[in-house]
Amino acid sequence: MSKIELENLSKSFGDLQAVDDVSVSIRDGELLCLLGPSGCGKSTTMRMISGLETPTSGRVSIGGEDVTDKSAYERTTSMVFQNWALFPYKSVLENVAFGLKMRGEGKQERREHAREMLTRVHMDGYEDHNPTELSGGQKQRVALARSLAVDPDVLLLDEPLSNLDKRLREEMEIELKEIHEEFEKTFVHVTHNQDEAFTLADRIGIMNEGNLVQVGEPSEVYHNPKNRFIEEFLGDTNFVSGEVSAVDGDGAVVETDFGATIEFPLAADEDLSQGTTVTVSLRPEFMSLDAASATDGGQKTAARADGNGSNTVVGTIDTVLYRGSTIRYFVETNGESMFVERSVTEEGELDEGDAVQVSWPAEEILVFRPDGTRVET
Amino acid sequence: MALERESVENALFKAGYGTIFAFMLVPLVIVIATSFSPSGNLDFPPAGFSLKWYSAFFDNIDWLRAFDNSLVIGAGTTVIATFLGTTAAFGLEARRDRWTQLLVPVVIMPLLIPPVILGVTLLVYFNEMGLRSSYVSIILAHTLWATPLVFFVMQSIFQRFDWELRDAGMDLGANPIRVFVHVVLPNVKSGIFVSALLAFIISLQEFVMALFLSSYGTRTIPVLAWTTLRQSLTPIVSVVSTFLILISLVGILLAALATNLDFIAKRL
Amino acid sequence: MSVTTRNSLLDRVWEPFRQQPGSRRALLLMAPLMVFEFFVFIAPFLMLLRISLSKQVRGLPYEAGTFTFEAYSEVLSSEFFHGLITYSFKLGIIATLLTVVLATFYAYAIWRSEGLTRTMLLFSVVLPLLTTLVIKTYAWVPLLAPRGTVNELLMAIGVLQSPIQLVPNTTGVIVGQVYIVFPYATLAVYSVLSTLDWEIVEAARDLGASRPRSFFEVVLPQAMPGVAVATVVSFAWSVGAYAAPGLLGAGSDRTFAIEVETQMLVGFNWPVATALSAIMLVLMFVSVVILYTALNSVGGDVSHGA
Ligand SMILES: Nc1ncnc2c1ncn2[C@@H]1O[C@H](COP(=O)(O)OP(=O)(O)OP(=O)(O)O)[C@@H](O)[C@H]1O
Ligand SMILES: [Mg+2]
């Protein structure tokens, strides 16, 4: 059993509250990604799990045992550092064997064990190299082998891939996932790269300013962000602000600042009063883009709800950006700019200057109150 | 519990370096305190407070002359050591090969030889050259010690300097000396300042070589302090020491302001 | 001075360098220091050797133009000189051991600390380093005297009944000598430590090494080059100690350096003084080379012992 429980964990450095009352239960064998902007307290949280940092308050338990008062070398966690922290004066093999040596394992035994681990991370043949002679990806593998060699219950990875280039990073993501499946250990992985988090994670925990804002499966976090911070952090989106102009039994209407009207359904127990200023997120991947119908009169911008509950706005394509497998269109509507993404395989070529009609399904709209909280739809 | 052991370890660790900290500074504090002694004894804690040894210092022509000697020798050393160290570090930056690298150990060597041996060697030599007891002999001896420090400070300053700026200057049509004065110098002048300051302090405080090379007329403050001490322990030496400590203190503060303490410490 | 006149002056300075290729110019820049080192360092040592091979005469420092090994055989055959040399080496070894252990610890403390603590700790070594040897030894007199601060303190807390003799005594010499070389040794170790990444210590602890163990396993092997320099400097200066034994030592605390000074400035026996210096230089050089190799191979052993 190696489930991790963090209870009301806090850490302050002087006046700075680095981690603020974080509680989460990490399941046995799970790969949890901690995601968040720089300085939000991810590393500090990890270091408290590993024992390298003592919490100001709160408790940490691993596998049901309270380890708050245990120091790093007594915990069954192992950390992979961002800069790998390989011992420069020791060979690759000695690096990997280090943890076993500390446990008093015999020389022959630990060397053998270390060799096995190196083979597992495809670094056999490098036993006698000095870590300084290795490339970033190779150092990464050695650091991983070194941590796995001590057979920890929990593996803590603090942005281990951030120093690698994109291609290598993607390769290592897959490898990490394989290792996670093979070793069946609990992994906590810190990153500020959302692609990495979505690729790897069983669950994602998103942090901001020391708080753990939301924990959930990738699709949950993606489709159901708890507040505006998460929506903004997770990816590019169009934020449109406006004022609620009408609320009825099962829906609401927002009059946007750029003149269009947005309609969306409202959850039963949600009370949204008329006149509230809200921010609406229109995700580019859910929006569709069509050449404007001739009858619409070209430049005149209008947004109306058609019979299907899908909202529409008319505008002109301003810029076209080719981004590999997708194309991003910037559309100018009434002085405001919004962007829409389409797959390159989609029908109907569009060019700069074309008059277009942008529409989106009402159920994919996310609405946030001024304090950032979600309006349930 | 392990954390308890760690806090014990922590306490021991702090006590350990705290003791050494005191070991390093308490003697100096005591020297300063004894300079205010009202009697002829070096009592600590002092029996009272008096400035009489300070006025004794300023009334004593020997001490004042030694002070002048120290200043003359310090100034000479500063000029020569700064010039030699800076030019050589600059040259080494421009050309690094097996032969020029040989300069480095030769420059360090004087620091590793016991000063008494160096003193004897130079005394014999300057005697032969007819420079015995002259300012020049002491200045050159001190330069031997001060130059390595200047050299290493300047070497690391030049290494940090962005040489593309120089190339840009050359590219804009300035000859190398112009480039040095207009482009390089403004960027390294704090380094030169710190080097010069260190060279001066080193010369001011050096004693063994000066003991061998000076005579009654050219002896420096530390030499006179030593000769005085060998006859009797008097608080007037504490007064002199207080002045020397204060000068170093001001020097360190200035140098730390110009660069930072960490940088200087690593190069001493 | 206006910019133009300054530039024309600079151009005139540049003129002689102009025809030289770049690397020659670099050599010209290094030339002043090379000339200086030759005439003020290398040549004097040759002179020292020459005089150590001269005949001793009464009334003059030495007899010019003579050639004899007399002075060397005198130093090498006399019990008195053997005693001096042995004492110097003993003092050197004890002071070096104490200094290097303490300095490594202190350097580690400086490296670990941050902010104001680090500045204060650094300051505590830089200030004594830039204080004259005379003060550094003299400062211990009021501290260690029979009625001095240390004795009074130990008696007040009941450790001692009556004052113990610390000065003039070998204890005083060792304390003073350690105090003299400690700053240099600390900074030598510190400048190597400061290139290390603190994370490697955390990694070691995370992998199950206790604090002392992580220090010996990953910090010390890497600090070894600094420790080696610290050892060499402490050793060379302690063997050649002059001020500490001179002021804090008893009559029996006589190092070769004190003897050299006496022979040189009081006895006017230059051949013996210079021969003694030359012999000590050779002995020290040999022991430093042995020490240095040994220390570096210790560092090597640690790194090959996985
Ligand atoms: N030892 C420390 N002393 C003082 N402040 C610290 C310390 N460690 C971290 N902090 C501060 O705590 C806050 C959180 O730091 P943390 O390293 O946990 O952030 P992070 O989320 O890992 O950021 P990054 O993505 O940049 O690594 C930051 O503001 C940081 O400056
Ligand atoms: Mg971090």
Side-chain angles (χ1 to χ4, degrees):
Chain A
M1 269 289 280
S2 38
K3 117 186 160 167
I4 306 171
E5 298 273 1
L6 307 184
E7 286 169 53
N8 308 102
L9 206 57
S10 296
K11 175 77 190 179
S12 42
F13 296 105
D15 287 341
L16 186 110
Q17 188 76 27
V19 173
D20 190 3
D21 197 21
V22 164
S23 296
V24 63
S25 165
I26 304 170
R27 299 173 196 140
D28 187 17
E30 169 173 56
L31 198 162
L32 179 86
C33 273
L34 282 180
L35 185 63
S38 192
C40 70
K42 306 178 298 282
S43 296
T44 309
T45 306
M46 287 274 266
R47 291 164 58 81
M48 287 192 285
I49 301 177
S50 74
L52 290 170
E53 205 81 75
T54 323
T56 315
S57 65
R59 314 214 62 80
V60 179
S61 63
I62 297 173
E65 186 199 351
D66 187 335
V67 295
T68 318
D69 293 332
K70 284 196 166 181
S71 69
Y73 68 96
E74 296 168 309
R75 296 193 190 182
T76 54
T77 58
S78 184
M79 183 120 154
V80 178
F81 292 80
Q82 179 169 2
N83 299 312
W84 310 307
L86 296 176
F87 308 128
Y89 276 52
K90 296 183 189 287
S91 71
V92 165
L93 190 72
E94 285 163 354
N95 263 279
V96 178
F98 184 85
L100 303 167
K101 183 178 177 187
M102 292 304 109
R103 292 188 174 180
E105 217 170 275
K107 186 163 183 163
Q108 216 41 51
E109 225 178 328
R110 63 175 188 251
R111 283 178 161 258
E112 203 147 298
H113 199 126
R115 259 181 240 283
E116 258 168 51
M117 280 300 150
L118 283 172
T119 313
R120 178 58 197 83
V121 297
H122 312 301
M123 284 296 291
D124 36 334
Y126 287 94
E127 285 84 356
D128 297 326
H129 283 236
N130 191 292
T132 49
E133 300 162 4
L134 303 180
S135 72
Q138 290 173 326
K139 285 183 189 161
Q140 179 58 66
R141 287 163 204 270
V142 174
L144 200 56
R146 184 177 70 179
S147 286
L148 287 170
V150 295
D151 193 27
D153 291 332
V154 179
L155 199 66
L156 303 167
L157 303 112
D158 192 357
E159 305 199 28
L161 308 182
S162 63
N163 283 341
L164 306 181
D165 63 47
K166 186 163 183 285
R167 202 183 56 79
L168 198 55
R169 192 171 68 226
E170 284 166 2
E171 224 175 274
M172 286 303 297
E173 282 169 10
I174 295 169
E175 211 158 309
L176 265 181
K177 202 150 174 83
E178 280 172 16
I179 286 175
H180 176 240
E181 273 153 26
E182 180 184 332
F183 284 83
E184 298 181 327
K185 295 187 185 308
T186 312
F187 277 37
V188 183
H189 182 113
V190 163
T191 174
H192 53 231
N193 177 324
Q194 53 263 36
D195 291 338
E196 192 177 308
F198 280 97
T199 312
L200 285 171
D202 294 327
R203 284 197 302 161
I204 294 178
I206 297 181
M207 293 189 70
N208 186 30
E209 293 177 352
N211 296 296
L212 186 59
V213 184
Q214 185 173 9
V215 185
E217 285 173 15
S219 62
E220 160 79 11
V221 174
Y222 181 74
H223 289 292
N224 223 346
K226 206 165 169 183
N227 62 23
R228 186 186 153 148
F229 162 77
I230 296 179
E231 175 67 2
E232 198 169 355
F233 183 71
L234 284 187
D236 294 337
T237 184
N238 295 291
F239 278 118
V240 176
S241 54
E243 199 181 295
V244 178
S245 63
V247 184
D248 64 23
D250 50 355
V253 181
V254 169
E255 208 67 53
T256 63
D257 294 353
F258 68 99
T261 317
I262 296 174
E263 249 178 55
F264 55 91
L266 207 55
D269 53 349
E270 192 56 77
D271 65 299
L272 183 67
S273 50
Q274 201 172 324
T276 317
T277 27
V278 291
T279 309
V280 178
S281 163
L282 304 173
R283 293 200 182 170
E285 64 270 35
F286 294 126
M287 310 217 284
S288 50
L289 196 60
D290 302 289
S293 52
T295 55
D296 215 32
Q299 287 303 316
K300 203 166 78 50
T301 303
R304 56 194 156 75
D306 65 16
N308 298 324
S310 154
N311 305 338
T312 308
V313 74
V314 173
T316 319
I317 293 182
D318 198 36
T319 315
V320 180
L321 274 185
Y322 292 87
R323 297 163 48 97
S325 57
T326 59
I327 305 176
R328 181 174 283 192
Y329 299 93
F330 288 83
V331 180
E332 155 112 23
T333 60
N334 232 9
E336 292 280 328
S337 173
M338 54 167 60
F339 62 97
V340 181
E341 239 162 42
R342 289 202 337 179
S343 153
V344 282
T345 55
E346 222 165 300
E347 298 275 308
E349 205 149 296
L350 292 167
D351 265 328
E352 287 177 20
D354 286 359
V356 288
Q357 173 178 309
V358 182
S359 51
W360 53 86
E363 58 275 11
E364 295 294 353
I365 293 172
L366 301 171
V367 185
F368 301 95
R369 289 197 180 81
D371 65 357
T373 54
R374 260 289 284 293
V375 175
E376 292 293 329
T377 52
Chain B
M1 224 38 184
L3 273 196
E4 263 164 45
R5 200 178 84 212
E6 291 208 345
S7 56
V8 172
E9 275 174 13
N10 255 341
L12 281 176
F13 185 67
K14 282 202 180 124
Y17 71 72
T19 310
I20 298 182
F21 181 78
F23 173 75
M24 293 317 291
L25 291 184
V26 164
L28 301 185
V29 172
I30 288 184
V31 166
I32 295 175
T34 55
S35 74
F36 299 109
S37 168
S39 67
N41 301 327
L42 298 173
D43 285 333
F44 186 83
F49 178 87
S50 120
L51 289 176
K52 79 178 201 201
W53 295 104
Y54 282 83
S55 55
F57 172 83
F58 286 108
D59 287 343
N60 187 321
I61 185 77
D62 278 346
W63 283 108
L64 295 178
R65 175 155 351 110
F67 208 85
D68 291 344
N69 288 340
S70 277
L71 288 183
V72 169
I73 291 167
T77 306
T78 306
V79 171
I80 302 180
T82 309
F83 171 74
L84 290 176
T86 308
T87 48
F90 188 56
L92 193 64
E93 192 54 39
R95 174 180 165 157
R96 251 171 213 288
D97 58 36
R98 208 144 44 91
W99 290 108
T100 55
Q101 285 287 8
L102 210 61
L103 190 61
V104 178
V106 174
V107 172
I108 305 180
M109 200 70 99
L111 289 181
L112 295 179
I113 288 175
V116 168
I117 295 189
L118 218 46
V120 169
T121 311
L122 292 175
L123 172 55
V124 167
Y125 181 70
F126 286 130
N127 184 54
E128 209 66 18
M129 299 279 125
L131 289 172
R132 185 165 184 188
S133 312
S134 64
Y135 283 134
V136 174
S137 66
I138 308 177
I139 289 175
L140 290 178
H142 286 180
T143 305
L144 210 49
W145 261 31
T147 307
L149 294 175
V150 174
F151 181 75
F152 289 116
V153 169
M154 290 318 293
Q155 225 193 345
S156 54
I157 293 271
F158 284 134
Q159 270 165 13
R160 290 193 312 185
F161 178 67
D162 180 4
W163 289 103
E164 277 183 6
L165 284 180
R166 179 192 58 174
D167 296 345
M170 300 260 214
D171 197 47
L172 296 172
N175 73 38
I177 287 230
R178 275 200 203 186
V179 168
F180 185 84
V181 172
H182 292 305
V183 183
V184 182
L185 210 54
N187 283 287
V188 299
K189 62 175 186 249
S190 67
I192 295 181
F193 171 71
V194 168
S195 313
L197 206 59
L198 288 177
F200 184 77
I201 295 178
I202 300 262
S203 165
L204 195 62
Q205 309 277 357
E206 200 287 327
F207 136 70
V208 179
M209 288 190 284
L211 178 69
F212 279 87
L213 296 173
S214 62
S215 63
Y216 181 80
T218 52
R219 64 190 172 184
T220 60
I221 287 266
V223 172
L224 182 55
W226 178 257
T227 353
T228 311
L229 279 178
R230 302 214 85 172
Q231 284 145 19
S232 68
L233 293 171
T234 122
I236 204 166
V237 177
S238 296
V239 171
V240 177
S241 304
T242 304
F243 287 139
L244 289 179
I245 294 172
L246 285 181
I247 292 174
S248 281
L249 198 67
V250 171
I252 294 170
L253 288 180
L254 285 177
L257 285 180
T259 54
N260 69 62
L261 192 56
D262 197 67
F263 174 83
I264 298 158
K266 281 180 210 155
R267 278 154 196 90
L268 281 174
Chain C
M1 193 162 34
S2 79
V3 173
T4 15
T5 57
R6 192 162 68 164
N7 276 345
S8 72
L9 188 77
L10 292 177
D11 288 346
R12 220 166 323 132
V13 177
W14 175 243
E15 205 46 47
F17 292 88
R18 205 193 172 120
Q19 281 81 27
Q20 315 285 347
S23 65
R24 182 85 59 81
R25 276 184 228 139
L27 273 188
L28 276 175
L29 280 171
M30 281 184 269
L33 184 58
M34 288 175 170
V35 169
F36 173 81
E37 292 290 340
F38 180 79
F39 281 106
V40 185
F41 184 57
I42 296 170
F45 269 98
L46 299 177
M47 181 77 73
L48 175 92
L49 286 181
R50 179 65 194 90
I51 287 179
S52 69
L53 293 168
S54 303
K55 210 167 150 51
Q56 311 166 36
V57 281
R58 229 172 235 293
L60 273 178
Y62 63 99
E63 192 170 338
T66 51
F67 186 91
T68 166
F69 285 99
E70 227 175 63
Y72 283 91
S73 64
E74 183 177 336
V75 171
L76 289 174
S77 62
S78 131
E79 286 295 323
F80 172 69
F81 284 112
H82 289 178
L84 289 179
I85 294 174
T86 322
Y87 178 83
S88 301
F89 271 95
K90 272 190 197 152
L91 175 64
I93 291 168
I94 295 172
T96 303
L97 267 177
L98 278 171
T99 305
V100 170
V101 171
L102 292 176
T104 307
F105 170 79
Y106 204 53
Y108 180 75
I110 299 177
W111 180 52
R112 276 205 51 179
S113 62
E114 46 200 2
L116 187 64
T117 319
R118 172 178 284 198
T119 309
M120 289 310 294
L121 294 181
L122 274 176
F123 174 77
S124 76
V125 287
V126 173
L127 181 64
L129 187 142
L130 292 177
T131 300
T132 176
L133 216 59
V134 180
I135 301 178
K136 282 193 272 193
T137 38
Y138 161 68
W140 288 97
V141 174
L143 264 168
L144 299 179
R147 303 226 54 96
T149 319
V150 169
N151 266 318
E152 296 283 337
L153 204 70
L154 291 178
M155 273 166 20
I157 59 172
V159 177
L160 291 180
Q161 260 70 54
S162 58
I164 47 166
Q165 171 97 359
L166 298 166
V167 195
N169 196 330
T170 314
T171 319
V173 177
I174 291 172
V175 171
Q177 190 58 32
V178 169
Y179 185 66
I180 288 168
V181 289
F182 183 84
Y184 298 91
T186 305
L187 293 181
V189 179
Y190 173 68
S191 59
V192 174
L193 280 182
S194 65
T195 62
L196 301 189
D197 192 351
W198 174 245
E199 272 192 356
I200 62 159
V201 180
E202 298 199 323
R205 303 197 53 215
D206 189 54
L207 290 167
S210 63
R211 277 201 241 205
R213 188 110 195 244
S214 59
F215 172 79
F216 286 108
E217 283 283 344
V218 302
V219 179
L220 199 55
Q222 294 193 69
M224 232 37 209
V227 173
V229 171
T231 310
V232 167
V233 171
S234 309
F235 183 75
W237 288 5
S238 303
V239 171
Y242 170 76
L247 198 63
L248 302 172
S252 60
D253 295 303
R254 202 169 172 80
T255 59
F256 90 89
I258 294 180
E259 181 62 21
V260 165
E261 191 246 2
T262 316
Q263 294 278 356
M264 199 71 189
L265 300 182
V266 184
F268 282 108
N269 190 340
W270 286 20
V272 166
T274 50
L276 183 55
S277 299
I279 289 171
M280 283 310 287
L281 261 188
V282 171
L283 288 178
M284 284 169 64
F285 181 74
V286 171
S287 30
V288 160
V289 168
I290 294 173
L291 251 177
Y292 200 76
T293 335
L295 279 176
N296 278 333
S297 72
V298 167
D301 271 356
V302 172
S303 73
H304 289 297

